[in-house]
């Protein structure tokens, strides 16, 4: 399966059957991602070297002035698109096979998890996967140790407080926090 067809299948939101061609491609891309993230996390790299590794990992999906403090983990990399000036702090884990888009100027706090896959609730089909894209807008601040769940959109200028679990969309220019995350205040 070609990468373009895989990305289209994952971005469709259609259920991915276990052991299907798409499912097998997921495993192959995971192996490639493991190699690249092992290189990222295994030793010191200059900013330029990290950018080059992330461009390879994301198939050119990193914007200008991208910043990363390793370690960084992902199960695919190829379905992540990062805007200009995005910064990802240490220990983040992106499950991006279902798609992650992060807008310009967004800051991702340490140990943030972004998940884009769910399993089928039917025990007989539990190995099937249901992808749901995560979209994080421009100039968003995600605090430390947050979890962003599949299908969530976080609006431009929003803030997600440290430790939050975001299971619903976040309106632009709002602050959310807690488990599950709820609106704390609006940003004027």
């Amino acid at each position: 399966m070609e990468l373009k067809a895989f990305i289209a299948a994952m971005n469709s939101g259609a259920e991915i059957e276990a052991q299907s061609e798409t499912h097998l491609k997921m495993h192959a891309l995971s192996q490639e991602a493991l190699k690249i993230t092992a290189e990222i996390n295994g030793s010191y790299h200059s900013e330029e070297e990290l950018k080059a590794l992330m461009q390879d990992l994301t198939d050119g999906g990193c914007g200008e002035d991208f910043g990363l403090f390793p370690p960084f983990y992902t199960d695919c990399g190829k379905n992540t698109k990062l805007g200009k000036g995005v910064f990802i702090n240490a220990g983040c884990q992106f499950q991006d096979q279902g798609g992650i888009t992060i807008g310009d100027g967004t800051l991702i706090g340490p140990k943030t998890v972004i998940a884009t896959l769910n399993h089928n609730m039917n025990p007989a089909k539990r190995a099937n996967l249901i992808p749901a894209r995560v979209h994080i807008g421009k100039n968003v601040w995600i605090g430390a140790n947050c979890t962003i769940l599949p299908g969530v959109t976080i609006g431009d200028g929003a803030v997600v407080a440290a430790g939050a679990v975001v299971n619903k969309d976040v309106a632009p220019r709002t602050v959310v926090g807690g488990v599950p995350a709820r609106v704390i205040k609006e940003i004027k």
Side-chain angles (χ1 to χ4, degrees):
M1 173 177 253
E2 295 293 322
L3 179 60
K4 194 172 188 176
F6 170 78
I7 297 296
M10 297 307 290
N11 289 346
S12 75
E15 186 168 336
I16 307 301
E17 290 189 29
Q19 300 306 314
S20 66
E21 183 181 13
T22 304
H23 192 246
L24 295 174
K25 182 68 172 181
M26 292 172 79
H27 287 286
L29 289 172
S30 291
Q31 294 305 304
E32 183 179 334
L34 285 171
K35 288 179 190 175
I36 298 170
T37 57
E39 176 66 24
I40 289 170
N41 300 332
S43 64
Y44 173 79
H45 297 284
S46 69
E47 286 183 38
E48 293 75 24
E49 292 168 331
L50 281 175
K51 288 176 188 177
L53 286 164
M54 285 297 288
Q55 287 289 2
D56 189 27
L57 180 64
T58 63
D59 197 37
C62 290
E64 297 172 24
D65 300 323
F66 166 79
L68 171 69
F69 284 174
F72 175 75
Y73 306 95
T74 184
D75 63 354
C76 179
K78 304 299 187 213
N79 207 4
T80 294
K81 300 298 176 220
L82 305 172
K84 296 176 185 175
V86 169
F87 176 73
I88 300 172
N89 215 322
C92 291
Q93 185 169 349
F94 288 12
Q95 181 197 50
D96 76 310
Q97 291 179 333
I100 296 172
T101 302
I102 301 175
D104 296 348
T106 288
L107 308 174
I108 308 291
K111 297 184 180 178
T112 291
V113 173
I114 302 175
T116 65
L117 297 174
N118 278 314
H119 288 275
N120 190 304
M121 292 302 288
N122 178 344
K125 296 181 179 184
R126 188 62 44 87
N128 290 1
L129 296 165
I130 303 164
R133 183 169 211 81
V134 169
H135 182 271
I136 300 173
K138 295 178 181 179
N139 300 310
V140 172
W141 175 19
I142 308 290
N145 207 32
C146 291
T147 300
I148 314 299
L149 295 177
V152 166
T153 294
I154 300 174
D156 293 348
V159 174
V160 178
V165 175
V166 183
N167 64 347
K168 295 179 183 171
D169 290 352
V170 175
R173 300 182 64 84
T174 57
V175 177
V176 299
V179 179
R182 60 178 174 69
V183 175
I184 296 171
K185 67 179 181 179
E186 292 184 18
I187 300 170
K188 303 291 181 195

